[in-house]
Amino acid sequence: MTEIKSFTYGQLENWITEQGEAKFRAKQIYDWMHKKLVTEWSQMSNLPERLRDLLKEQFALTVLRPVEILHSKQDGTRKYLFELSDGNVVEAVMMPYRHGNSVCISTQVGCRMGCRFCASTLDGLVRSLTAAEMLEEVYGVCRDLGSRVSNIVLMGSGEPFDNYENVMQFLQMITDDYGLNISARNITLSTCGLVPGIRKFADRKGQETLAISLHAADDETRRKMMPIANRYSIAEIMEACRYFFELTGRRITFEYSLAAGVNDRQTDAAGLAALLKGLPCHVNLIPINPVRERQFRQSHMTDVNHFKNKLEKSGINVTIRREMGRDIQGACGQLRRGFLESKKSQ
Ligand code: SAH
C-alpha cells in the first residue's frame, strides 16, 4: 500500500487536486501527519468523512510504535526499538544536549557495508527504509518526549547513500515549513564514503552537515576496518569532500573511531593531520565501542588524548565524542541484534 507520509507537500497537493478536492485539504492533511503527529485517520477531525474514507482506502498511514524504550540513568539518553509494518525492527536514539534534543535515526534495516567494528552489518542488509519510516522514527521520539526535537543525525544503522532517493525525500520533508521544519543546518548525514553519493549530495547544494566515517589516514589501515575502502580510495574521498565544500561552503566532519593498535598511533594522527590540511573541517574522535562479535578493542584514554593533542597542534579542530548511553547498548545495531537473538531463543 502506498505510504501517504512519503509524499512531499507538493505531491500531496497534486493528489488532492486530482481527486477534485480543494487545495487547502492538502495543507490540513499534511498538518495532521507532519506537525500534529496523529496516529489515526479518525484524529483528522477537520476533514469530511468521505475524504477520510478515501484516504484510508488508498493509503497506509505509517506509524512506528516503540516495542522497547531504554532509558540511560547516566545521561538521559533514550534508545528506541521501533517495529515496522512488516515486522522488522529499527533503532533510534535520543540524546539530550544543552542546545536541545538530538535524534539519531536508522536509514536501513541492517547494512551491507560490512565495517568490521560495527554491529549493524553483522547480518547484512534486510531492506532500505522509506521516507515515511524515517520520518516516523523522529515522530515516534517526539511523541514519547511530548516535544519537538532540534537536531537530527543520520548515524543509526544503514548507509544513507545506499538509500539515496528516500533519504533525500526524508531531508526535504523534515525541513519543510509545512512539516517539522527542522533547519537543514541542524541535520548531519554520515557516510562510510560512497564517493558518487558525496558528489551527488554536493550538487544538491543543501545546508546539511556531511560527516565522513574515515577511521584511517591511509588506505591499507582503512581496508582492515572497512571493506568499502577496497572500492574507493581515501584520495578519491578527499577530492569529493573538497568538491562538497566548494559547492556548499559547509565545514565537513570526519569521524574517526579509535581501535587499540590499529589506527591510534602517533603516525596515524600525523597522517590524518596531513590529509586534512587546508580543508575546513572538524574531527570527531570516537573511542571504539566494543561489540561482542567483533575483534576490535577500545584505545586507551591516554592514546586517545595523545591523538587529539597531535591533531590540535596541527591546527585541526577536534573533539572526543562523549560516550552516551553506554549502559543501554549505545553502539549501532546492538539493541536490534539483542532483540532478534532473544526472539530466536524463545
Ligand atoms: N553508514 C554510515 C552511518 C552509520 S554509522 C557511516 O558509515 O557513516 C555511524 C558512525 O558510527 C560511523 O562513523 C561508524 O563507523 C561508527 N561506528 C559504528 N559502529 C561503531 C563502534 N562499534 N564503535 C565506534 N564507532 C562505530
Side-chain angles (χ1 to χ4, degrees):
M1 217 173 180
T2 309
E3 293 180 293
I4 191 168
K5 270 187 200 154
S6 285
F7 281 11
T8 59
Y9 184 73
Q11 289 169 329
L12 183 62
E13 209 175 55
N14 285 344
W15 181 83
I16 278 288
T17 335
E18 279 165 19
Q19 310 310 307
E21 296 283 346
K23 263 193 182 168
F24 74 92
R25 294 292 181 202
K27 171 94 171 48
Q28 289 178 323
I29 299 167
Y30 208 84
D31 223 59
W32 286 117
M33 295 191 297
H34 301 287
K35 261 199 205 310
K36 300 199 178 92
L37 313 184
V38 298
T39 55
E40 312 277 348
W41 296 110
S42 60
Q43 290 171 291
M44 303 188 180
S45 53
N46 57 4
L47 302 183
E49 207 167 310
R50 102 191 108 68
L51 182 55
R52 252 187 291 166
D53 287 344
L54 183 67
L55 289 166
K56 210 157 127 183
E57 207 178 277
Q58 298 217 358
F59 298 110
L61 180 69
T62 313
V63 176
L64 300 198
R65 297 186 201 276
V67 286
E68 204 170 342
I69 305 178
L70 300 178
H71 295 244
S72 166
K73 289 183 187 72
Q74 294 169 350
D75 51 33
T77 297
R78 291 186 194 181
K79 186 139 191 181
Y80 299 81
L81 196 64
F82 286 113
E83 180 161 30
L84 309 174
S85 61
D86 63 1
N88 276 303
V89 289
V90 289
E91 288 172 47
V93 186
M94 188 286 296
M95 294 156 288
Y97 289 109
R98 239 168 300 141
H99 59 263
N101 292 327
S102 183
V103 185
C104 172
I105 65 160
S106 296
T107 54
Q108 296 181 313
V109 181
C111 182
R112 57 173 175 164
M113 297 298 130
C115 296
R116 301 231 161 80
F117 44 83
C118 178
S120 296
T121 198
L122 284 164
D123 295 320
L125 175 69
V126 178
R127 71 171 174 87
S128 283
L129 297 183
T130 63
E133 288 168 333
M134 289 182 264
L135 288 166
E136 267 296 316
E137 289 182 69
V138 180
Y139 300 171
V141 172
C142 292
R143 284 184 204 112
D144 176 52
L145 296 174
S147 70
R148 245 180 81 85
V149 297
S150 52
N151 292 67
I152 293 180
V153 293
L154 280 67
M155 281 190 194
S157 297
E159 165 51 44
F161 289 159
D162 191 34
N163 182 18
Y164 191 87
E165 295 309 325
N166 290 345
V167 167
M168 294 309 126
Q169 185 96 349
F170 164 81
L171 291 177
Q172 187 187 334
M173 294 175 73
I174 200 96
T175 53
D176 194 327
D177 305 346
Y178 287 156
L180 229 44
N181 194 12
I182 290 178
S183 156
R185 288 173 170 256
N186 292 344
I187 301 177
T188 300
L189 179 152
S190 176
T191 177
C192 66
L194 301 187
V195 169
I198 298 172
R199 290 185 169 270
K200 213 151 87 172
F201 193 53
D203 288 332
R204 185 176 154 273
K205 296 198 172 104
Q207 285 298 293
E208 291 85 1
T209 300
L210 175 66
I212 306 282
S213 299
L214 197 60
H215 304 326
D218 65 276
D219 289 316
E220 197 193 328
T221 307
R222 198 164 191 263
R223 283 195 291 263
K224 285 186 199 150
M225 306 178 75
M226 309 169 76
I228 195 67
N230 294 305
R231 182 88 170 270
Y232 303 107
S233 67
I234 292 179
E236 288 171 301
I237 294 175
M238 294 310 297
E239 211 177 301
C241 285
R242 277 187 282 271
Y243 181 71
F244 180 86
F245 179 74
E246 266 167 41
L247 264 72
T248 63
R250 298 288 290 159
R251 188 176 79 155
I252 293 168
T253 297
F254 289 94
E255 294 159 275
Y256 197 102
S257 295
L258 290 153
V262 180
N263 64 350
D264 64 348
R265 301 155 298 188
Q266 285 291 290
T267 48
D268 295 310
L272 184 61
L275 197 62
L276 302 182
K277 203 166 175 229
L279 178 68
C281 66
H282 176 94
V283 173
N284 207 336
L285 296 177
I286 316 165
I288 228 159
N289 210 329
V291 172
R292 183 162 37 87
E293 297 84 346
R294 301 303 207 184
Q295 78 268 34
F296 291 95
R297 284 174 303 114
Q298 195 169 82
S299 299
H300 292 291
M301 218 45 218
T302 46
D303 291 331
V304 175
N305 285 322
H306 278 146
F307 201 97
K308 178 171 183 260
N309 292 341
K310 182 103 185 165
L311 291 178
E312 275 175 343
K313 276 197 197 117
S314 311
I316 292 171
N317 201 304
V318 47
T319 47
I320 299 175
R321 185 180 294 172
R322 253 200 311 148
E323 259 191 287
M324 297 183 80
R326 198 192 166 96
D327 56 334
I328 52 168
Q329 311 185 70
C332 276
Q334 284 186 325
L335 181 59
R336 170 171 170 263
R337 231 185 126 65
F339 180 80
L340 295 179
E341 278 176 2
S342 72
K343 246 182 146 175
K344 248 189 256 164
S345 65
Q346 267 171 25

